[in-house]
Structures are given as structure tokens and as C-alpha cells.
């Protein structure tokens, strides 16, 4: 800015108080050094006050679970006639809920937990020998110190002839059956075709048995594997941290319920209608125990074979007896419409499950949603 020091009407505006007096000058003999120091101090003070009046920048990071209030996930009973409405609300608004009247006996869950605990008592050599690494299956020791994990297939297979795992495979099968029932219910109420209903080869369930300390940091922890729905039987009163679409959420499900989380694959299948939980629930603390307490979690992931392709499963028109005649009249119009694409616009592009699974398994899960890469921006 060009200006003349001799023109008194070219002054900087007073940002705070137009009537305030200028800084006082010394009453003694002129002191050039003092005058410049006072002017500089006044300028710095004015700039400081101006900066404090500017709005503070905001960061679009997820809310940390430590500051989130503890909530109880929506409670859904499979024996309740209003299950459909509750399931629709929880799945489309939150991405998680807890089930009661699920038919899994507590004695089976408890004996499965005992068998799982025995796995962590094995020596390091036995763990690696009995459960060799064959991604994503096998024994895994988290490099960042977040505990040990066993990734098991639906039969809980092992290379050992000494281990006697009977209850754990039975619990895995029971949770898998429950998970398939939930996927079928979601497909009906949200409106997408369920590829798992008629073809059992389209499913590949994994049982993740994890031992760690409460307060693990899921932000830097690996081991995130894509899934349709995840299920955890609740052995005791325990708090969990979930990374939902809305950010970090702290929940405390009921004892002997099954906590269900909607996964990223289900969100793509529903064309974005379902909310999701990124990764698995992470235990934050036990009731009445400190944050350094050890814990074991058993999570059944209903997922897909590695060679699958993931894409939105857009709904087809539903034909009933009442609208059969109308459907016949519009048959040609619908066929022409299908040839030019569905009425519902795709929210995601198709992608390889293997490529996606490998990427999210080896990347942190906090700062960016891995599905963003496949979202169609219009």
C-alpha cells in the first residue's frame, strides 16, 4: 500500500474503540528509542487482540471415545413383533445394536471362552505352529503392542492334534447362523438382494479371538478386515469403543446379549442406506476394574470369499398379487428402464474384495474411511 507520511488523513482504522485515546507519550525530553518501542508494543497488542477475535479453525477428525458419553446399544429381541422397525432404525441411523432371545446358550459361550483362553497359554512356537499364518488366517502378534489374535475359519481349524476345540467351533456356527438371519432381515427391510440366501459359497465367516488390555488404541491398530455383519457374545459387563460413521462411540451392552455391528460390505450392498462400524469393537474397560485390565474378545465376522466383487445390490421391483396386473402392463417399460440403468443411482463403484481387504488390513483405520475411494461423487 502506498501512502504519504505527511498526510494526516491516511490513518489505519481503530479496530476496537474509535473514541479511545492514543498511547501516551513521554512528558520528558523526546526519546526516539522509547517512542519506537511504545509504538511497536501498541501494534503488537492490537494485532494480538485482532487475532483473538478471529474464529478458531476446526478439524474434521472423529470425536475421541474418551469424551463420548456411555450409551446402551438399541436392544432388539428376535421374539418381539416390532423387531423390524427397531432393526431398521438402529441399522440406518447408528450401525450397531444388541440382540436378546438369540438362542445361544450361556454355557456354550462360557465353555468357548475357556477354550479360547487356553490358546493364549500356548508357547510362542506352539501358537505359530498350530495356527500358521495364511492371511487372513493364523496367529497374529500385533506389532504395535495391542495384544495377540487368532484368526480362525468357521471350523476353527488347527494344525495340532493335541488341542481339543469343540465348543468354540459350535459357538462359531451358532453365531454364523444368527448373522445370516440378520443379513436376510436387513435385505428385506432396506431393500437389496441378499446374495447369501441361496448360495452358501458366497459366504466366508471368520472367528477372531483377541487378547489385549483395555484401552487399546484402535486408531493405530491394524487387523481391520472387511465384513457384512460382526457379532460378539457379551460374557460380562464391559465397555466398548466403536468407530461409527458419526465418530467414536462408547457403548455398554447387556450381559449375555449379542452385540451386532454393521460392516462396510453391508453398507455398499445397501447402496449407502445402512450405517456402519469401521473395524471391530474395542474393549475400553470392565465395570469396577482399571483401564489396564486384560480382556478377551471373540468376534464372528460374516464376510466374503477373497475372490468376490463388491458392488451395490440395487433393488428390483417387488411384484405382489395386488399389483400383478399393473406390473404386466408396465413390464415393457421396466425392461427398457433396466436397460438404461436403475432408478436408484449407484453410490459406490464396484471393487475387488481381495484388493480392498488387503489394503484396509494393513492401514490404520482412524483418519480416512477406506470406502471413500469407491464413493461416486456427483
Amino acid at each position: 500500500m502506498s501512502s504519504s507520511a505527511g498526510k494526516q488523513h491516511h490513518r489505519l482504522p481503530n479496530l476496537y474503540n474509535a473514541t479511545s485515546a492514543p498511547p501516551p507519550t513521554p512528558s520528558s525530553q523526546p526519546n526516539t528509542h522509547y517512542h519506537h518501542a511504545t509504538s511497536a508494543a501498541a501494534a503488537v497488542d492490537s494485532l494480538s487482540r485482532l487475532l483473538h477475535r478471529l474464529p478458531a479453525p476446526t478439524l474434521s477428525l472423529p470425536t475421541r471415545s474418551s469424551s463420548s458419553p456411555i450409551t446402551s446399544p438399541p436392544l432388539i429381541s428376535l421374539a418381539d413383533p416390532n423387531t423390524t422397525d427397531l432393526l431398521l432404525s438402529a441399522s440406518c441411523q447408528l450401525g450397531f445394536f444388541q440382540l436378546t432371545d438369540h438362542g445361544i446358550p450361556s454355557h456354550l459361550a462360557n465353555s468357548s471362552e475357556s477354550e479360547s483362553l487356553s490358546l493364549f497359554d500356548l508357547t510362542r512356537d506352539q501358537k505359530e505352529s498350530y495356527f500358521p499364518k495364511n492371511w487372513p488366517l493364523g496367529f497374529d502378534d500385533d506389532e504395535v503392542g495391542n495384544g495377540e489374535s487368532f484368526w480362525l475359519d468357521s471350523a476353527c481349524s488347527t494344525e495340532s492334534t493335541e488341542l481339543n476345540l469343540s465348543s468354540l467351533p459350535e459357538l462359531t456356527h451358532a453365531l454364523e447362523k444368527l448373522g445370516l438371519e440378520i443379513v436376510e432381515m436387513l435385505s428385506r427391510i432396506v431393500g437389496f438382494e441378499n446374495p447369501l440366501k441361496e448360495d452358501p459359497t458366497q459366504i466366508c465367516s471368520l472367528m477372531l479371538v483377541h487378547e489385549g488390555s483395555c484401552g487399546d488404541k484402535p486408531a493405530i491398530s491394524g487387523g481391520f478386515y472387511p465384513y457384512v455383519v460382526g457379532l460378539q457374545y457379551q460374557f460380562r459387563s464391559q465397555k466398548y469403543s466403536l468407530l461409527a460413521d458419526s465418530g467414536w462411540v462408547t457403548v455398554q451392552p447387556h450381559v449375555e446379549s449379542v452385540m451386532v455391528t454393521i460392516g462396510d460390505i453391508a453398507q455398499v450392498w445397501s447402496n449407502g442406506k445402512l450405517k456402519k462400524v469401521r473395524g471391530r469393537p474395542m474393549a475400553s474397560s470392565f465395570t469396577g476394574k482399571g483401564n489396564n485390565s486384560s480382556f478377551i474378545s471373540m468376534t464372528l465376522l460374516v464376510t466374503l470369499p477373497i475372490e468376490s466383487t463388491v458392488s451395490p445390490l440395487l433393488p428390483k421391483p417387488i411384484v405382489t398379487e395386488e399389483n400383478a396386473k399393473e406390473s404386466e402392463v408396465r413390464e415393457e417399460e421396466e425392461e427398457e428402464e433396466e436397460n438404461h440403468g436403475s432408478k436408484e443411482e449407484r453410490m459406490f463403484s464396484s471393487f475387488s474384495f481381495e484388493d480392498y481387504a488387503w489394503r484396509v488390513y494393513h492401514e490404520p483405520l482412524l483418519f480416512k474411511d477406506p470406502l471413500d475411494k469407491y464413493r461416486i461423487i456427483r
Side-chain angles (χ1 to χ4, degrees), residues 331-363:
E331 184 176 0
E332 294 183 0
E333 297 178 0
E334 291 176 351
E335 289 179 357
E336 182 178 355
E337 192 174 83
E338 289 181 2
N339 291 333
H340 291 83
S342 173
K343 287 182 179 179
E344 184 177 343
E345 294 183 339
R346 293 163 57 98
M347 302 297 295
F348 298 91
S349 58
S350 300
F351 55 88
S352 163
F353 178 81
E354 181 177 9
D355 293 344
Y356 177 70
W358 180 265
R359 182 168 64 90
V360 300
Y361 186 88
H362 293 90
E363 290 182 0

Side-chain angles (χ1 to χ4, degrees), residues 53-361:
R53 293 181 58 166
L54 296 176
T58 57
L59 298 176
S60 57
L61 295 177
T63 303
R64 290 308 304 267
S65 58
S66 58
S67 60
S68 302
I70 301 173
T71 62
S72 178
L75 189 62
I76 298 177
S77 170
L78 291 181
D80 190 334
N82 297 320
T83 293
T84 299
D85 294 336
L86 295 173
L87 185 61
L88 177 63
S89 175
S91 302
C92 294
Q93 296 181 19
L94 299 174
F96 58 89
F97 51 89
Q98 55 182 324
L99 286 177
T100 60
D101 301 311
H102 43 68
I104 297 179
S106 58
H107 66 83
L108 173 61
N110 291 330
S111 59
S112 299
E113 184 185 36
S114 298
E115 289 183 357
S116 297
L117 286 170
S118 67
L119 299 180
F120 297 99
D121 292 332
L122 299 173
T123 66
R124 178 62 179 252
D125 290 342
Q126 288 175 322
K127 293 173 183 176
E128 295 177 345
S129 174
Y130 296 168
F131 301 93
K133 192 67 176 177
N134 181 22
W135 183 83
L137 301 177
F139 170 70
D140 181 39
D141 186 7
D142 197 323
E143 295 179 355
V144 296
N146 283 339
E148 297 180 337
S149 301
F150 292 91
W151 292 82
L152 309 175
D153 59 21
S154 58
C156 299
S157 304
T158 172
E159 297 296 322
S160 171
T161 58
E162 302 174 2
L163 290 178
N164 181 23
L165 301 180
S166 57
S167 296
L168 185 56
E170 187 177 350
L171 176 64
T172 300
H173 178 71
L175 289 173
E176 179 184 86
K177 182 179 178 181
L178 182 60
L180 293 177
E181 183 179 351
I182 294 170
V183 173
E184 173 60 20
M185 295 174 67
L186 291 174
S187 68
R188 291 201 308 265
I189 63 178
V190 177
F192 63 87
E193 297 180 76
N194 179 13
L196 308 181
K197 184 177 181 180
E198 303 297 336
D199 189 356
T201 64
Q202 296 298 314
I203 183 177
C204 178
S205 295
L206 299 178
M207 171 59 82
L208 170 60
V209 182
H210 176 78
E211 184 184 51
S213 298
C214 293
D216 279 356
K217 298 178 180 179
I220 61 174
S221 176
F224 168 29
Y225 196 80
Y227 62 94
V228 184
V229 293
L231 302 94
Q232 277 190 356
Y233 185 92
Q234 300 306 302
F235 299 97
R236 57 191 58 82
S237 182
Q238 189 169 343
K239 300 173 187 176
Y240 291 90
S241 295
L242 309 178
L243 182 51
D245 282 335
S246 59
W248 286 106
V249 182
T250 301
V251 300
Q252 186 167 356
H254 294 181
V255 177
E256 296 186 354
S257 69
V258 173
M259 184 164 63
V260 180
T261 54
I262 308 298
D264 41 358
I265 303 304
Q267 185 172 71
V268 175
W269 279 0
S270 70
N271 203 32
K273 298 182 183 69
L274 295 173
K275 297 295 184 181
K276 70 175 182 300
V277 170
R278 217 184 308 170
R280 59 185 173 84
M282 299 293 294
S284 55
S285 69
F286 295 113
T287 300
K289 294 186 177 181
N291 288 334
N292 293 325
S293 302
S294 62
F295 73 94
I296 182 172
S297 63
M298 303 164 62
T299 309
L300 190 281
L301 302 178
V302 177
T303 184
L304 303 179
I306 200 70
E307 66 275 7
S308 302
T309 298
V310 184
S311 59
L313 304 178
L314 301 180
K316 291 183 177 180
I318 300 176
V319 178
T320 63
E321 294 182 359
E322 296 179 357
N323 63 11
K325 293 183 179 180
E326 181 181 353
S327 177
E328 291 176 2
V329 174
R330 296 192 53 194
E331 184 176 0
E332 294 183 0
E333 297 178 0
E334 291 176 351
E335 289 179 357
E336 182 178 355
E337 192 174 83
E338 289 181 2
N339 291 333
H340 291 83
S342 173
K343 287 182 179 179
E344 184 177 343
E345 294 183 339
R346 293 163 57 98
M347 302 297 295
F348 298 91
S349 58
S350 300
F351 55 88
S352 163
F353 178 81
E354 181 177 9
D355 293 344
Y356 177 70
W358 180 265
R359 182 168 64 90
V360 300
Y361 186 88

